[in-house]
Amino acid sequence: MSRLQELTDTLKTKSTETFEKIKETESYQKISDRYESLSPAGQKMTKIVVGILILFIFLFIPLSQFSTSKDFVTAFEDKRTLIRDLFKTYRESNSSSRLPEAPTSDALMGSVNNTLQSEQLLPEQIISVSIGAAEGRLIPASLMTSVIDVKLAKLNLRQVVDIGSRLSGISQSVKLKDLLMNANSELAGYFDVTYKLYALNVPAAPVELPPEPETKSAKKKKNDSGDEKSNDKNKGDE
């Protein structure tokens, strides 16, 4: 308490000295003379205005600091949210599953034949399932391993859609790029269809190398350091 009392007395003394110096200035004398020349009502109004002005000054500083700090908090929260979104996007991009390697042409043709058999098509409806050639430049040759042509005949619209959906779901690395339809010349409302399946050239996942074996010198240093630690421990116990 004595320290607090000393600080209070020092503050009062400095305030008194400062006020005495202000009273000795010419500006204060002029203001004091004008104040004394005012009527009692004018003096009372002046005191009220000065009091309000002083109160406004004392309140303005903390309010301005509060407003500034609130802006800083808002900016900090916005940046924190942005950083969290960036980290979330980075984690999702890293954890996204890789495309599996595309099946070989023989395996793909076998999957196609199994799909057609499950659709219970007649033998006359299956024209051929063979290796075809790429058409167009949408997919570069370096990005595909094989192209399979599936030629069918006398399909209705429902069969065209169902078979196309089944073929496109064989593998994520196999894409149904082209679908060619021609009206069948014998049956009205039926179509001869050619599906072109493209097997993408998906690069193999990188193989993580095993840790390098420790050399004899490294093992020796490790053993020596372990022995030194055990000896120090034994000495401490003694």
Side-chain angles (χ1 to χ4, degrees):
M1 291 295 293
S2 60
R3 181 59 178 171
L4 179 61
Q5 186 65 32
E6 291 178 2
L7 292 175
T8 304
D9 294 340
T10 303
L11 181 61
K12 288 181 179 180
T13 302
K14 290 185 178 181
S15 300
T16 303
E17 293 176 355
T18 303
F19 184 68
E20 292 296 333
K21 290 180 180 180
I22 293 174
K23 289 174 64 176
E24 294 175 358
T25 59
E26 183 179 356
S27 298
Y28 180 84
Q29 296 295 332
K30 291 181 180 180
I31 294 174
S32 179
D33 293 340
R34 291 184 180 180
Y35 174 78
E36 294 296 336
S37 64
L38 295 174
S39 61
Q43 292 179 358
K44 185 176 181 180
M45 184 61 66
T46 302
K47 289 180 180 179
I48 293 174
V49 172
V50 172
I52 293 174
L53 181 61
I54 294 174
L55 180 63
F56 173 77
I57 292 174
F58 277 103
L59 291 179
F60 174 77
I61 296 175
L63 288 177
S64 62
Q65 294 293 331
F66 175 76
S67 178
T68 304
S69 62
K70 189 175 181 181
D71 293 339
F72 286 153
V73 171
T74 302
F76 168 76
E77 291 178 350
D78 292 340
K79 292 180 179 179
R80 182 179 61 183
T81 303
L82 178 60
I83 293 173
R84 286 179 176 176
D85 292 340
L86 290 175
F87 277 113
K88 181 180 179 181
T89 303
Y90 176 75
R91 288 193 297 268
E92 290 177 352
S93 63
N94 286 342
S95 61
S96 59
S97 58
R98 294 173 53 88
L99 287 176
E101 293 187 29
T104 61
S105 58
D106 293 337
L108 182 55
M109 291 173 64
S111 299
V112 171
N113 287 323
N114 293 334
T115 301
L116 297 180
Q117 290 178 4
S118 65
E119 292 294 328
Q120 298 180 354
L121 296 177
L122 299 174
E124 62 183 20
Q125 290 180 290
I126 303 176
I127 305 301
S128 65
V129 178
S130 59
I131 297 177
E135 295 182 0
R137 298 181 180 178
L138 181 61
I139 303 179
S142 59
L143 297 182
M144 67 182 75
T145 57
S146 61
V147 179
I148 303 299
D149 289 345
V150 183
K151 295 182 180 181
L152 307 177
K154 300 178 181 179
L155 301 180
N156 57 37
L157 287 177
R158 184 180 183 85
Q159 289 176 317
V160 172
V161 175
D162 291 344
I163 294 174
S165 178
R166 293 284 303 276
L167 293 178
S168 61
I170 290 178
S171 173
Q172 294 181 352
S173 301
V174 177
K175 303 300 179 182
L176 177 60
K177 177 179 174 290
D178 298 324
L179 174 62
L180 308 177
M181 294 179 59
N182 294 312
N184 187 268
S185 58
E186 298 178 1
L187 296 175
Y190 288 80
F191 302 89
D192 298 333
V193 184
T194 300
Y195 301 93
K196 295 185 75 69
L197 299 175
Y198 286 67
L200 302 180
N201 184 15
V202 179
V207 179
E208 295 184 0
L209 298 176
E212 296 183 359
E214 295 183 357
T215 60
K216 293 183 178 180
S217 58
K219 288 183 179 180
K220 185 177 180 181
K221 289 181 180 179
K222 187 175 180 180
N223 294 331
D224 293 342
S225 60
D227 294 339
E228 290 177 358
K229 289 182 180 179
S230 60
N231 292 333
D232 293 340
K233 185 178 180 181
N234 293 330
K235 290 180 179 179
D237 294 339
E238 292 175 358

